[in-house]
Amino acid sequence: AQTVTQSQPEMSVQEAETVTLSCTYDTSESNYYLFWYKQPPSRQMILVIRQEAYKQQNATENRFSVNFQKAAKSFSLKISDSQLGDTAMYFCAFSRGWSGGSNYKLTFGKGTLLTVNP
Amino acid sequence: GAVVSQHPSWVICKSGTSVKIECRSLDFQATTMFWYRQFPKQSLMLMATSNEGSKATYEQGVEKDKFLINHASLTLSTLTVTSAHPEDSSFYICSARESGRATGANVLTFGAGSRLTVL
């Protein structure tokens, strides 16, 4: 079974600054995906960024980037130039990399509540 | 982009009644859908994997007879909370993966969620 751990229940950052959210995971799988999802007050889950485990290059999406350390099983999210709209709960998630049915299911961490202050 | 519609967004019911929540993929077909439950300020817990045309696969500890899942078509999965009680009050979220997408795109699209309050 896979586990995902987020050790920071809450964080805050000033607008325009940079913040890093931590995530570690445990798995015996060799093929898998890691994700960061954002859940704003509306509670709609929004995909922020995705990383394939077989790719060494860290994923980036505009102001969002990850630091993927496969050997250490670490997957942190860096948000640059933080904006007020980034205020949300952020979940780190894992899924197996194989195709078909339950392989697509996501295992979530407990989340980190990020508040961006003006 | 892919859109998943969930209905109702909010439902209040009396204890002992049954409530049905629908999850529809609007612009894609989904062989597999997932149902999650989220308590306030907590993470999403997977309840079951909904498989089109076959029985759902429930996670350990989830009562199959309490939470009935039906996935009768490639665009619709339903979750029925039977004989609901106050402890069933929660936020229920569905997600779906577009069928036929190339391997390497394990991205799920989420519905907006359904808040259930049982009085």
Side-chain angles (χ1 to χ4, degrees):
Chain A
Q2 288 68 233
T3 59
V4 178
T5 302
Q6 293 178 250
S7 59
Q8 305 153 313
E10 295 187 31
M11 294 189 72
S12 63
V13 64
Q14 291 299 121
E15 195 174 7
E17 293 187 347
T18 296
V19 64
T20 299
L21 280 57
S22 300
C23 172
T24 58
Y25 62 95
D26 190 24
T27 183
S28 58
E29 301 281 347
S30 59
N31 185 19
Y32 54 89
Y33 297 90
L34 296 165
F35 305 84
W36 279 98
Y37 278 89
K38 166 185 177 181
Q39 187 179 43
S42 67
R43 304 190 78 171
Q44 172 72 59
M45 295 292 286
I46 301 167
L47 177 65
V48 175
I49 199 165
R50 174 183 59 145
Q51 175 79 43
E52 290 92 338
Y54 62 87
K55 289 187 176 180
Q56 292 185 340
Q57 186 174 7
N58 290 322
T60 61
E61 287 288 344
N62 301 314
R63 298 183 295 109
F64 300 89
S65 62
V66 298
N67 183 1
F68 174 47
Q69 300 292 325
K70 191 172 183 178
K73 294 183 179 176
S74 170
F75 183 62
S76 60
L77 174 69
K78 186 172 81 171
I79 306 175
S80 304
D81 186 26
S82 297
Q83 300 176 359
L84 296 178
D86 294 335
T87 293
M89 181 72 84
Y90 286 81
F91 293 101
C92 180
F94 171 103
S95 79
R96 299 173 69 184
W98 310 109
S99 61
S102 62
N103 288 317
Y104 304 131
K105 69 181 180 182
L106 291 170
T107 299
F108 289 93
K110 290 188 174 182
T112 296
L113 178 60
L114 176 67
T115 301
V116 180
N117 299 309
Chain B
V3 177
V4 171
S5 173
Q6 204 172 325
H7 177 80
S9 58
W10 196 353
V11 57
I12 301 174
C13 70
K14 293 182 179 180
S15 185
T17 61
S18 294
V19 175
K20 180 184 288 187
I21 300 170
E22 294 186 346
C23 179
R24 292 181 185 274
S25 54
L26 296 187
D27 49 2
F28 66 96
Q29 294 184 333
T31 305
T32 305
M33 293 185 176
F34 301 96
W35 287 95
Y36 289 86
R37 183 174 183 176
Q38 186 180 32
F39 290 105
K41 299 185 179 181
Q42 293 190 23
S43 187
L44 283 73
M45 298 300 297
L46 180 65
M47 299 175 65
T49 302
S50 174
N51 305 299
E52 187 269 335
S54 64
K55 292 182 179 180
T57 304
Y58 290 81
E59 295 298 302
Q60 189 174 8
V62 177
E63 298 178 60
K64 300 178 182 181
D65 295 332
K66 160 68 77 175
F67 300 101
L68 299 180
I69 291 173
N70 183 272
H71 194 153
S73 78
L74 286 171
T75 59
L76 174 65
S77 175
T78 60
L79 168 68
T80 301
V81 183
T82 62
S83 186
H85 288 94
E87 58 265 31
D88 298 324
S89 298
S90 190
F91 192 66
Y92 294 88
I93 307 175
C94 72
S95 65
R97 181 187 182 277
E98 184 175 354
S99 301
R101 290 193 72 174
T103 302
N106 278 21
V107 176
L108 300 182
T109 301
F110 284 81
S114 300
R115 183 189 302 275
L116 170 63
T117 300
V118 184
L119 301 177

